[in-house]
């Protein structure tokens, strides 16, 4: 039944998208929302009845189904049940929430921490609570969508600097009025490219131009630094980041988002950020799982060693076959394909050979820079990685991406 048979802009937008989806499905090139039937660990999945090597996981340290983490979640259900009484400020705060926030604060070398129901909600709410009309935000062009949305929602003057381009950032800071509030914000590890923000220079610029600094550690928590505590450990540079944001849904096998910062910022956010005040608290099992996962990371540093070896093997192997992996230095490995259709085609070839990777196309990345966005984790075995690279290499040759 078609209630809206008019040819207005909404109808046209929906039609353009559904046409594209039908075309891709017809050619067996549609990989959006493929249901995973079973997650065997962070290195294997069952999809359409076949067990495939998993190269699209954010579980960088292979913590999914870790016995200690599962046990903590189960114990929390036995103690608190499966939900909360509502929002944090109205009877929704449990001891497991305050414990988790203390664990995060310690892990991130901060005075305090606050949690939200997702990383997306965290960025949206925190940026729009701290910043407002008349203030200035400076955001890397490749920052995650949740950061962009938070900036737009805040109504600030929104300035975007070229990716990791510190000269451009400095120019924009210089041009802003000296008496306004300023916030510089960037991903630590960029979610589509895998490269790392130049933190030392960013910190220096923030000091010079009196700007606050917020860093999103979605892809560096558990990944950067020998202990896996993130970007500050990686650069051995503590104290320069005012607002340390991260998610509990990637390396940490749970759900939720956090900010770690000084006590006053956290108190302010608890009283002023709307996603905290008006949305339900994290379920006890998820809070307990996250809390235990931070402890496991510190107790099992060998996982980080393994992740680094696997990352080196994967990037080195793909590069030696002639693939362009852009500037990645981390477990997020873009395999540049060019146009969207080539990225879809290599995905199909890989999945037919039981390597589960996914493409990223425009508008998520600029046109012409469509890619496989492959990831490795500590759960992979070097021989499995070797096989996955063989499959990707064969497909790349067949499609003319490499020689
Ligand atoms: C995944 C991601 C988020 C959002 O986190 P969720 O907990 O999944 O909502 C925010 N920022 C970056 C850089 C991310 O990659």
């Amino acid at each position: 039944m078609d209630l809206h048979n008019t040819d207005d802009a909404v109808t046209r937008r929906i039609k353009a998208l559904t046409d594209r989806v039908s075309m891709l499905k017809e050619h067996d090139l549609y990989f959006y929302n493929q249901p995973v039937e079973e997650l065997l660990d962070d290195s294997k999945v069952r999809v359409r009845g076949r067990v495939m090597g998993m190269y699209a996981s954010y579980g960088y340290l292979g913590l999914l189904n870790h016995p200690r983490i599962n046990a903590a979640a189960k114990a929390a259900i036995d103690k608190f049940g499966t939900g909360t009484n509502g929002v944090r400020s109205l009877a929704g705060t449990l001891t497991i929430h305050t414990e988790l926030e203390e664990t995060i604060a310690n892990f991130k070398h901060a005075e305090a921490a606050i949690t939200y129901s997702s990383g997306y909600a965290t960025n949206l709410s925190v940026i729009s609570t701290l910043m407002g009309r008349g203030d200035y935000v400076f955001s890397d062009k490749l920052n995650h969508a949740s950061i962009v949305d938070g900036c737009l929602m805040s109504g600030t003057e929104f300035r975007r600097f070229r990716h990791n381009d510190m000269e451009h950032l400095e120019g924009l800071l210089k041009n802003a009025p000296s008496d306004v509030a300023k916030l510089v914000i960037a991903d630590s590890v960029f979610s589509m490219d895998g490269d790392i923000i130049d933190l030392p220079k960013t910190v220096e610029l923030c000091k010079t131009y009196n700007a606050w600094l917020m860093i999103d550690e979605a892809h560096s928590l558990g990944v950067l630094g020998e202990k896996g505590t993130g970007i500050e450990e990686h650069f051995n540079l503590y104290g320069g980041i005012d607002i340390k944001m991260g998610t509990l849904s990637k390396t940490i096998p749970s759900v939720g988002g956090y900010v770690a910062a000084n006590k006053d910022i956290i108190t302010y956010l608890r009283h002023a950020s709307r996603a905290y005040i008006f949305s339900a608290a994290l379920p006890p099992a998820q809070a307990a799982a996250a809390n235990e996962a931070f402890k496991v990371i510190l107790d099992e540093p060998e996982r980080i060693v393994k992740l680094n070896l696997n990352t080196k093997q994967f990037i080195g192997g793909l590069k030696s076959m002639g693939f362009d992996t852009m500037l990645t230095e981390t477990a997020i490995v873009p395999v540049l394909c060019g146009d969207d259709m080539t990225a879809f085609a290599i995905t199909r070839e890989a999945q037919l050979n039981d390597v589960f990777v996914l493409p990223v196309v425009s508008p998520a990345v600029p046109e012409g820079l469509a890619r496989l966005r492959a990831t490795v984790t500590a759960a992979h075995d070097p021989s499995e990685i070797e096989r996955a690279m063989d499959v990707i290499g064969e497909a790349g040759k067949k499609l003319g991406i490499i020689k």
Side-chain angles (χ1 to χ4, degrees):
M1 192 180 63
D2 228 350
L3 287 177
H4 300 278
N5 53 10
T6 51
D7 185 31
D8 64 5
V10 178
T11 313
R12 284 196 297 275
R13 229 172 271 148
I14 294 172
K15 183 164 185 329
L17 194 273
T18 49
D19 284 352
R20 187 168 189 227
V21 169
S22 321
M23 186 274 287
L24 291 171
K25 281 187 173 165
E26 254 166 53
H27 293 87
D28 195 21
L29 292 173
Y30 188 72
F31 304 102
Y32 202 64
N33 286 355
Q34 288 178 96
V36 168
E37 291 147 9
E38 198 180 353
L39 281 167
L40 296 131
D41 53 33
D42 283 306
S43 78
K44 277 184 214 71
V45 285
R46 197 156 54 80
V47 179
R48 282 174 273 114
R50 297 166 74 130
V51 173
M52 303 196 199
M54 174 60 154
Y55 293 87
S57 165
Y58 301 130
Y60 298 115
L61 294 181
L63 295 179
L64 200 64
N65 274 326
H66 191 290
R68 269 175 63 186
I69 298 172
N70 283 9
K74 286 171 188 163
I77 291 180
D78 290 342
K79 190 166 173 193
F80 296 109
T82 53
T84 56
N85 291 311
V87 300
R88 287 287 299 272
S89 50
L90 298 172
T93 297
L94 305 171
T95 47
I96 187 62
H97 293 123
T98 49
E99 242 176 80
L100 169 62
E101 286 166 348
E102 217 177 288
T103 299
I104 294 171
N106 289 335
F107 193 90
K108 292 306 305 168
H109 298 92
E111 283 178 8
I114 181 172
T115 53
Y116 294 84
S117 55
S118 77
Y120 182 88
T122 306
N123 276 335
L124 209 64
S125 203
V126 168
I127 298 167
S128 63
T129 301
L130 291 174
M131 307 304 287
R133 264 171 234 297
D135 303 334
Y136 278 62
V137 178
F138 304 85
S139 168
D140 187 287
K141 275 205 172 156
L142 294 191
N143 277 349
H144 190 262
S146 54
I147 296 176
V148 176
D149 291 357
C151 294
L152 294 176
M153 187 169 147
S154 70
T156 58
E157 294 296 321
F158 182 35
R159 300 285 182 271
R160 303 207 304 161
F161 57 96
R162 284 191 292 273
H163 176 48
N164 222 347
D165 183 336
M166 294 297 129
E167 271 175 41
H168 193 207
L169 172 60
E170 177 155 28
L172 293 176
L173 284 165
K174 222 181 242 170
N175 279 336
S178 57
D179 56 343
V180 298
K182 302 182 193 76
L183 171 71
V184 172
I185 179 161
D187 286 12
S188 51
V189 168
F190 287 86
S191 58
M192 296 295 156
D193 289 44
D195 55 341
I196 304 171
I197 189 77
D198 181 351
L199 186 70
K201 189 67 192 174
T202 308
V203 167
E204 188 192 312
L205 289 176
C206 286
K207 287 211 173 104
T208 308
Y209 294 94
N210 194 26
W212 298 79
L213 178 58
M214 175 165 173
I215 297 287
D216 177 337
E217 295 221 66
H219 299 281
S220 55
L221 188 77
V223 174
L224 292 184
E226 263 172 52
K227 296 195 206 113
T229 66
I231 190 160
E232 291 172 299
E233 190 191 347
H234 176 78
F235 285 108
N236 192 21
L237 175 62
Y238 293 89
I241 305 173
D242 300 293
I243 300 139
K244 308 174 193 182
M245 180 271 169
T247 169
L248 305 176
S249 70
K250 286 173 178 142
T251 296
I252 305 290
S254 183
V255 71
Y258 70 81
V259 158
N262 75 32
K263 279 200 183 91
D264 293 345
I265 293 176
I266 299 303
T267 301
Y268 178 68
L269 290 173
R270 275 194 216 288
H271 289 271
S273 60
R274 296 164 77 85
Y276 184 84
I277 301 168
F278 296 107
S279 186
L282 284 178
Q286 298 315 121
N291 186 51
E292 193 65 21
F294 282 99
K295 296 177 180 173
V296 171
I297 294 174
L298 295 178
D299 289 346
E300 300 180 3
E302 63 277 10
R303 289 176 182 272
I304 296 150
V305 175
K306 179 106 185 285
L307 174 66
N308 287 331
L309 287 172
N310 287 352
T311 300
K312 228 183 195 164
Q313 181 193 356
F314 197 50
I315 298 175
L318 289 166
K319 267 190 179 161
S320 73
M321 284 189 265
F323 284 111
D324 182 352
T325 56
M326 305 178 79
L327 297 173
T328 185
E329 299 175 61
T330 67
I332 296 171
V333 183
V335 180
L336 202 61
C337 299
D339 59 43
D340 291 0
M341 290 312 268
T342 309
F344 289 135
I346 193 172
T347 302
R348 183 176 59 188
E349 285 296 320
Q351 291 200 11
L352 283 172
N353 290 288
D354 297 333
V355 173
F356 190 82
V357 278
L358 289 170
V360 183
V361 300
S362 64
V365 291
E367 204 134 339
L369 295 180
R371 64 197 68 169
L372 283 182
R373 178 175 171 281
T375 53
V376 272
T377 73
H380 290 105
D381 195 77
S383 64
E384 292 169 347
I385 297 172
E386 212 53 51
R387 184 184 168 272
M389 291 193 299
D390 286 345
V391 166
I392 296 170
E394 279 307 308
K397 274 184 211 154
K398 197 166 152 185
L399 292 163
I401 301 169
I402 54 169
K403 283 194 210 94

